[in-house]
Amino acid sequence: MVLLRKKIGVVVTGGIAAYKATELVRQLVKAGAIVRVIMTKSASEFITPLTLQVLSRHEVLIDTFSENDTEHVQHIEFADWCDLVVVAPATANIIGKLSNGIADEIASTTLLAVACPCLLCPAMNTNMYQHPATQRNLKRLKKDGYYLLEPDTGFLAEGYEGKGRLPVITQIVEKLESIAAKHFYPQLLENKKVIVTAGGTRERIDPVRYISNDSSGKMGYAMAKIASFLGAEVSFISTKDHFPMMDNMDLILVESALQMQKEINERYAQTDYVIMAAAVSDFRMMDQAEHKIKKKDQENEKILWELIENPDILAELGQNKKQQVLVGFAAETQNLIEYAQRKLKSKRIDWIIANDVSQKDIGFNSKNNQVTLLNEKGQVVNLPKMEKIDLARKVWEIILNDPIIKD
Ligand code: CTP
């Protein structure tokens, strides 16, 4: 969403990971970006310019001197055109040239003319990566203001393990998104601390069983991601761990409601916004079994477990509220607005986001959501059905009363 209509220059240099640039270009185009590609001669030994031309729908520049347009110098025009540049893979060679201001072929001449944010994704043999010269160059480039995405450790083309693999493409795209947000979104939450909770809590029955619910954590993740895009320092307290984290997003994994409450309380005094998107289990086992509970001998025998109510985390935060803005979600299957209004009052919070979880295509576990926001001043905002990430952006705009996030 942040990359929509952004002009992205992809610079591909000559390492074996060059073939992965195809997927990068594809994903950027899919994210709505306008993509143009530059390749070094060495990169074109690994993949053809035609592949990248087809995927980017633009001519690929490979030669500094093939100047067909008399109006422009092509590498300068390219550099000026870009909103963002990514070099992937970035070889030791291009890193060395860039850190020393050398410009002697299409990639290095263009990169020297680039004035917009630029992300370098080094990928090479692990010994080349660890070499003091490469490390010195990377350090210098970081100081010069380049963004760096460290290579992954794993199985290398050489047949052994080491650090040097190009990170998975979704990670490169995520990194570009957070760079784009930093530069193109107003930093409305700069110097603000935000807690976002997500996922359904798990209340243990015994070591292998638990009580939980259908919450996937996606809405909470979207809220946390947008908060980080707006410059906040985010504590993301979640029961799910499969999300890539943004730079200023700290993942705190929890399981039960009590663990979640403990993590929130430790941070609450210094926090500005709490977004309780987690579906907190209302009950837990009175006594958690130390060992796996065995089944009874007789079929249809009644089993009785005692449950005890969990603390209402949000209501307790409401009682101790000072500077914090508190936002809750009301998951309902009937009387949506009425029940949401009741929760807003009883929990003494600022906003409630009412969410109909009875419909299959919105709410729990789905990609889309549709909500109504209510605040303690009586304001009611109905939002149409949309993807959770777009919805999260809208919700933040409403909470911050600042509709200046433009695509
Ligand atoms: N919540 C909480 N602690 C709980 C239960 C809920 O902090 N023990 C928070 C949720 O994270 C959500 C809001 O309170 O932001 C409303 O949660 P919801 O499950 O819709 O309502 P409940 O308060 O649990 O009430 P009920 O289950 O009766 O609808």
Side-chain angles (χ1 to χ4, degrees):
M1 163 201 35
V2 207
L3 300 180
L4 191 68
R5 291 192 287 277
K6 288 284 165 295
K7 292 181 245 165
I8 303 183
V10 176
V11 179
V12 187
T13 61
I16 181 60
Y19 79 92
K20 295 182 184 171
T22 52
E23 181 57 19
L24 175 61
V25 170
R26 214 183 61 80
Q27 284 198 24
L28 291 175
V29 169
K30 202 170 160 214
I34 308 159
V35 181
R36 287 172 69 185
V37 179
I38 280 187
M39 288 174 93
T40 59
K41 282 258 160 57
S42 332
S44 69
E45 297 283 337
F46 291 95
I47 50 167
T48 71
L50 184 62
T51 311
L52 293 173
Q53 177 181 308
V54 171
L55 291 171
S56 68
R57 300 188 212 126
H58 284 95
E59 189 191 347
V60 174
L61 303 188
I62 48 169
D63 182 2
T64 328
F65 297 108
S66 68
E67 294 282 356
N68 301 325
D69 178 358
T70 50
E71 292 282 313
H72 301 103
V73 176
Q74 61 173 359
H75 66 279
I76 302 296
E77 185 276 328
F78 186 102
D80 288 344
W81 174 87
C82 293
D83 294 322
L84 270 179
V85 169
V86 52
V87 188
T91 57
N93 187 41
I94 197 74
I95 287 165
K97 284 200 243 179
L98 199 53
S99 80
N100 288 287
I102 295 169
D104 61 352
E105 38 65 49
I106 189 75
S108 50
T109 45
T110 308
L111 286 171
L112 217 57
V114 161
C116 67
C118 179
L119 171 67
L120 305 175
C121 307
M124 63 198 76
N125 168 268
T126 191
N127 294 331
M128 292 171 82
Y129 180 70
Q130 304 294 357
H131 194 282
T134 308
Q135 289 303 314
R136 194 167 56 236
N137 288 331
L138 284 170
K139 222 181 201 169
R140 199 195 288 181
L141 288 168
K142 199 169 179 186
K143 224 165 135 201
D144 286 347
Y146 286 90
Y147 293 95
L148 298 179
L149 188 62
E150 279 204 24
D152 277 351
T153 301
F155 189 72
L156 301 173
E158 295 79 353
Y160 52 83
E161 295 269 322
K163 186 171 180 172
R165 283 173 59 88
L166 191 72
V168 288
I169 301 304
T170 45
Q171 208 183 327
I172 301 177
V173 175
E174 296 272 350
K175 182 78 184 173
L176 280 169
E177 278 187 342
S178 71
I179 296 169
K182 197 166 162 188
H183 287 267
F184 305 117
Y185 271 13
Q187 297 296 283
L188 300 174
L189 289 173
E190 198 166 16
N191 301 322
K192 298 285 182 207
K193 288 195 167 63
V194 174
I195 292 176
V196 181
T197 64
T201 63
R202 280 183 224 144
E203 310 300 333
R204 285 273 153 209
I205 297 170
D206 67 18
V208 293
R209 302 184 180 94
Y210 53 76
I211 304 168
S212 194
N213 56 62
D214 281 336
S215 170
S216 63
K218 284 182 191 149
M219 192 62 218
Y221 175 67
M223 289 297 293
K225 193 168 168 182
I226 297 293
S228 84
F229 283 176
L230 297 176
E233 196 183 304
V234 183
S235 297
F236 183 52
I237 305 175
S238 177
T239 60
K240 312 270 169 176
D241 67 350
H242 59 268
F243 308 115
M245 290 294 110
M246 304 291 116
D247 285 347
N248 46 350
M249 229 167 126
D250 191 15
L251 172 68
I252 301 115
L253 270 179
V254 292
E255 191 171 274
S256 66
L258 290 180
Q259 285 169 3
M260 183 171 276
Q261 185 180 39
K262 179 175 165 284
E263 295 295 341
I264 296 171
N265 286 348
E266 275 173 18
R267 295 165 176 80
Y268 189 52
Q270 297 81 36
T271 295
D272 301 288
Y273 294 85
V274 180
I275 314 292
M276 278 297 293
V280 182
S281 302
D282 289 323
F283 315 100
R284 67 177 185 276
M285 291 285 283
M286 180 80 107
D287 298 301
Q288 186 189 315
E290 195 183 334
H291 296 288
K292 187 182 169 205
I293 300 169
K294 304 302 284 178
K295 67 171 177 259
K296 304 276 187 242
D297 294 335
Q298 238 176 318
E299 215 180 307
N300 292 332
E301 198 179 333
K302 206 188 233 174
I303 298 166
L304 289 175
W305 284 337
E306 269 189 303
L307 297 175
I308 180 172
E309 200 156 310
N310 266 327
D312 188 322
I313 304 174
L314 192 54
E316 285 186 24
L317 297 179
Q319 273 163 16
N320 303 315
K321 183 168 126 76
K322 292 204 169 72
Q323 81 283 0
Q324 299 89 349
V325 174
L326 300 181
V327 182
F329 279 75
E332 308 293 352
T333 54
Q334 56 177 343
N335 304 333
L336 184 69
I337 302 300
E338 186 197 329
Y339 286 168
Q341 245 148 4
R342 263 193 232 167
K343 284 178 190 170
L344 182 72
K345 283 211 173 66
S346 66
K347 293 178 198 256
R348 297 200 219 162
I349 58 177
D350 300 271
W351 287 93
I352 193 112
I353 301 170
N355 195 185
D356 184 347
V357 289
S358 67
Q359 295 178 45
K360 279 232 148 39
D361 59 335
I362 56 170
F364 278 171
N365 248 326
S366 74
K367 200 173 156 204
N368 296 317
N369 206 354
Q370 182 178 3
V371 300
T372 300
L373 274 82
L374 303 110
N375 75 359
E376 38 86 47
K377 293 186 190 110
Q379 197 183 339
V380 179
V381 188
N382 286 305
L383 291 175
K385 178 174 149 184
M386 60 185 103
E387 281 200 20
K388 286 181 174 170
I389 190 74
D390 298 318
L391 189 68
R393 201 189 74 177
K394 283 267 175 258
V395 168
W396 272 116
E397 281 182 340
I398 293 164
I399 293 170
L400 297 170
N401 193 21
D402 202 332
I404 58 173
I405 305 172
K406 295 193 195 98
D407 284 320

